[in-house]
């Protein structure tokens, strides 16, 4: 008798948990359809790719998002890659983004831009946190990130982001929602041109300032995670200029990563000091980000570096990747209009 009662209670408990999980999943799917189009554009790059089909992942903040085009790398080198960087993504969030990426892909190499070593925070703004978390699919990395990075009283709006987006019902059905035709494999390109202020200079590579402890802590977690998963990690710093009122010592903090990388046994290539052929008067979109023309130079240099230092295949002749040629053709057609307009 007791066994029967226990079994019924167990079945009820299991049913309740299953219902709750299904409920949360449906809410995630519903809220996903109610976000702004920028969230859709940010999320499709990696999730659309076949599982375990990507050899190289580029990760980090908008510095990386705007700096490397997988389709440029495909055309020039036959590299199969994806840019999974996100706007305003600090290193604590990047740690969970790496976890999320490794749910779906087993890359040979992750290339991580470390500019956000300068940020002394778990996230920059609420908008930035939503931008990063809401795109992540239902799963453990997303919920680990929420419980680790978000204040307890605000966790519900990230656990069930329908709470944030439910007011968009009317807007949703007044607009046509469709998937973008051009697939950039995650990259966002900038076509403006910015000239650094007259007093900007590149400091010596040996000049360093200690970065914030929280940023170093999560960078080390990323290093450890990649080592545990058997993924090679390449740390890099995409070229940037500094604002006239810079008081942080951004270049010096980025330079300091070289010492940590040496201690941890991972390579670090600071592109600020490499000959990329970059013209800071023509190849920057703004103070921190390269534009399309700068992106082409960064992509060319990194692609050559990756082929020289890692065992990465040229997949242009493989039948499974012929869809990349179709994506490249669409990309080139789109670019022709954008470059002409710029």
């Amino acid at each position: 008798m007791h066994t029967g009662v226990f079994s019924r209670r167990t079945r009820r408990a299991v049913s309740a948990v299953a219902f709750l999980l299904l409920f949360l999943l449906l809410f995630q799917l519903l809220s996903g359809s109610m976000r702004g189009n920028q969230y859709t554009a940010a999320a499709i790059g990696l999730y659309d790719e076949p599982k375990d089909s990507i050899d190289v992942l580029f990760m980090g903040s908008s510095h990386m998002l705007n700096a490397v085009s997988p389709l440029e790398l495909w055309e020039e080198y036959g590299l199969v890659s994806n840019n999974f960087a996100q706007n305003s993504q600090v290193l604590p969030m990047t740690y969970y983004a790496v976890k999320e990426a490794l749910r779906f892909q087993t890359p040979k190499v992750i290339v991580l831009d470390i500019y956000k070593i300068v940020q002394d925070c778990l996230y920059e703004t609420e908008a930035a946190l939503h931008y990063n978390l809401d795109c992540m699919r239902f799963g453990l990395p997303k919920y680990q990130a929420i419980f680790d990075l978000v204040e307890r009283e605000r966790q519900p709006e990230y656990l069930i982001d329908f709470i944030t987006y439910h007011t968009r019902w009317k807007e949703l059905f007044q607009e046509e929602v469709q998937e973008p035709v051009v697939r950039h494999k995650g990259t966002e390109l900038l076509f403006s041109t910015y000239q650094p202020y007259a007093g900007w200079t590149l400091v010596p590579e040996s000049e360093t300032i200690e970065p914030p402890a929280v940023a170093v802590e999560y960078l080390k977690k990323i290093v450890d995670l990649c080592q545990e998963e058997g993924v090679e990690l390449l740390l890099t710093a995409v070229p940037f200029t500094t604002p006239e009122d810079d008081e942080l010592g951004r270049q010096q903090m980025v330079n300091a990563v070289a010492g940590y990388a040496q201690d941890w046994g991972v390579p670090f290539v600071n592109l600020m000091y490499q000959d990329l052929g970059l013209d800071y008067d023509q190849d920057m979109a703004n103070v921190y980000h390269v534009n399309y023309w700068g992106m082409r130079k960064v992509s060319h240099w990194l692609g050559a570096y990756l082929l020289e230092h890692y065992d990465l295949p040229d997949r242009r002749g493989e039948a499974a990747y012929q869809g990349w040629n179709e994506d490249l053709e669409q990309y080139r057609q789109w670019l022709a209009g954008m470059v002409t307009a710029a």
Side-chain angles (χ1 to χ4, degrees), residues 3 60 129 150 153 160 162 183 186 235 239 253:
T3 302
L129 191 58
V150 182
E153 64 274 13
I160 307 175
F162 176 81
R183 299 178 60 194
L235 303 179
M253 287 187 185

Side-chain angles (χ1 to χ4, degrees), residues 168-212:
R168 294 197 64 236
W169 274 107
K170 187 174 182 180
E171 178 188 347
L172 177 67
F173 291 106
Q174 286 178 343
E175 66 181 20
E176 180 183 2
V177 179
Q178 61 183 12
E179 182 175 302
V181 175
V182 179
R183 299 178 60 194
H184 294 170
K185 306 293 184 183
T187 302
E188 289 183 5
L189 301 182
L190 304 175
F191 293 89
S192 58
T193 301
Y194 161 88
Q195 293 185 351
Y197 77 95
W200 179 81
T201 58
L202 183 63
V203 305
E205 191 171 4
S206 59
E207 196 172 306
T208 64
I209 292 176
E210 188 70 14

Side-chain angles (χ1 to χ4, degrees), residues 313-334:
D314 180 342
R315 298 195 184 274
R316 282 172 290 190
E318 298 184 23
Y321 292 92
Q322 290 313 297
W324 277 69
N325 292 322
E326 298 173 10
D327 293 334
L328 178 62
E329 180 61 27
Q330 291 183 0
Y331 172 76
R332 286 298 176 205
Q333 292 176 5
W334 175 83

Side-chain angles (χ1 to χ4, degrees), residues 17 51-52 123 144 188 238 333:
V17 171
K51 185 174 175 60
D52 298 330
Y123 60 89
Q144 287 177 328
E188 289 183 5
V238 171
Q333 292 176 5

